[in-house]
Amino acid sequence: MIFEASAPSNIALIKYMGKVDGAGNLPTNSSLSWTIEDLRSYVKLTHRSDLPKDEWAPLEGDHLAQIQLNEASRERFLNHFQSLKSELGVQENFLIQSANNFPADCGLASSASSFAALTMAAVEALGEFNPSCRDLSLGERAELSRKGSGSSCRSFFGPWSLWFKEGVRPIEFPMHQLLHQVIIVETEKKAVSSSQAHQRVTTSPLFAGRTDRAENRLAQLMNIFREGDQLDHWRAAFEIVWAEFWDMHTLFETSSPPFGYMLPGSVQILRWMENLWQSENDGPLVTMDAGANVHLLYRQDQKALAHKIRGEFQKEFNIFQCNELREETR
Ligand code: DP6
């Protein structure tokens, strides 16, 4: 028996950074993300009664870029599957195959999409042996996924996903067709993983006010988004999203010991965006994850700007664009 699932990645505008003590990836603050439908992970589960334990192998397919998980990532992936089996009361063994539709070494994180896809496929597969799995709501499946990797719970919903104390759910805003672009500054694996970052930031003297700052920004951003996408709102959203990723990166840099992800290329791009906003009073929303790459979100009427920005940076950096922008440049 074979079970397949695919899940998108997501980029947070209000970041999940810092966990409540204890297991399960419970966040110290709510987060809000845009679902990146075109950056996806694919998982195939094959029931194998001949295997003494679960195994992982790369998934192959025309539209897929093969991945080779290192030992630690493979173990984390398999452990999550094992926990799902224990929680859902199934003991059968499976071959787990996975891949992304983007190259592994291009600096784009895949833990959110891959854990979401694994959980989606697992619930279906385990449902063959424990039919009550099929009754799990999408929100409950997302909660199971959260235990494997926190940000993956947001990948169950789109285009906007809100993860707060009570769980994760989709949320509606008038802007539901944003365009996503990411300028790839770094393709190497990170020296400090985001899971480690969650622990290290708690040593920063600034962590004390982090929950309040993030919750305040979230409340403000949701009010702005609810009101619409007129220029004044967009500008106010830009300012909040900008302050939010700097807040997270400042936590990194003030931890003990300090660590950071910004590279000269990131700073160069950020300065350019700052100048753009100052001269035009308009521009994309700009954010960064725990990495050096710069994510940009545009309104539908900003396609020309997206192409201009791509033209500006494509000689120096690789750029990933959502399908809608990519198709226009063909
Ligand atoms: C900086 O979800 O990767 O991307 O729960 O330990 O797997 P674990 O962490 P992870 O953290 C993501 C952190 C972030 C911000 C965000 O996506 O909200």
Side-chain angles (χ1 to χ4, degrees), residues 93-105:
N93 291 335
F94 288 81
L95 172 66
I96 304 171
Q97 290 170 281
S98 66
N100 302 321
N101 65 355
F102 54 92
D105 56 355

Side-chain angles (χ1 to χ4, degrees), residues 10-12 14-17 19 25 31 76 111-112 146 148-152 154 163 190 194-196 198 248 252 288-290:
N10 69 74
I11 177 73
I14 302 297
K15 311 286 180 185
Y16 151 51
M17 184 45 58
K19 299 182 191 182
N25 300 327
S31 56
R76 194 176 161 204
S111 97
R146 184 254 298 158
S149 177
S151 55
S152 73
R154 296 187 310 236
W163 177 20
K190 300 184 272 193
S194 43
S195 297
Q196 290 166 323
H198 284 289
M248 181 175 77
F252 301 153
M288 293 176 71
D289 256 344

Side-chain angles (χ1 to χ4, degrees), residues 10-182:
N10 69 74
I11 177 73
L13 299 189
I14 302 297
K15 311 286 180 185
Y16 151 51
M17 184 45 58
K19 299 182 191 182
V20 176
D21 277 347
N25 300 327
L26 287 171
T28 44
N29 64 267
S30 316
S31 56
L32 175 72
S33 60
W34 171 259
T35 304
I36 310 175
E37 288 294 342
D38 300 334
L39 282 181
R40 303 188 76 86
S41 293
Y42 294 77
V43 167
K44 178 175 170 183
L45 296 178
T46 311
H47 178 228
R48 291 277 299 269
S49 29
D50 59 314
L51 290 179
K53 56 182 176 47
D54 301 320
E55 280 180 19
W56 179 86
L59 179 64
E60 290 175 22
D62 286 349
H63 61 301
L64 300 176
Q66 256 204 31
I67 42 171
Q68 262 311 335
L69 292 183
N70 64 27
E71 195 56 36
S73 310
R74 189 184 295 215
E75 205 168 304
R76 194 176 161 204
F77 212 49
L78 287 168
N79 282 346
H80 177 56
F81 187 62
Q82 182 55 54
S83 314
L84 291 170
K85 289 202 305 184
S86 310
E87 191 142 348
L88 301 173
V90 176
Q91 282 170 355
E92 304 298 314
N93 291 335
F94 288 81
L95 172 66
I96 304 171
Q97 290 170 281
S98 66
N100 302 321
N101 65 355
F102 54 92
D105 56 355
C106 75
L108 294 172
S110 62
S111 97
S113 53
S114 56
F115 277 80
L118 175 60
T119 310
M120 287 175 189
V123 171
E124 287 307 314
L126 303 180
E128 273 306 299
F129 304 93
N130 171 4
S132 70
C133 298
R134 302 220 170 94
D135 301 334
L136 291 169
S137 68
L138 206 52
E140 287 167 331
R141 292 171 197 223
E143 288 294 315
L144 287 173
S145 196
R146 184 254 298 158
K147 294 178 187 170
S149 177
S151 55
S152 73
C153 72
R154 296 187 310 236
S155 284
F156 283 68
F157 302 105
W160 293 102
S161 201
L162 175 66
W163 177 20
F164 61 131
K165 244 197 337 255
E166 285 74 26
V168 60
R169 64 172 173 88
I171 181 161
E172 300 237 340
F173 295 118
M175 315 94 72
H176 46 78
Q177 286 182 319
L178 296 183
L179 302 162
H180 173 254
Q181 207 176 44
V182 49

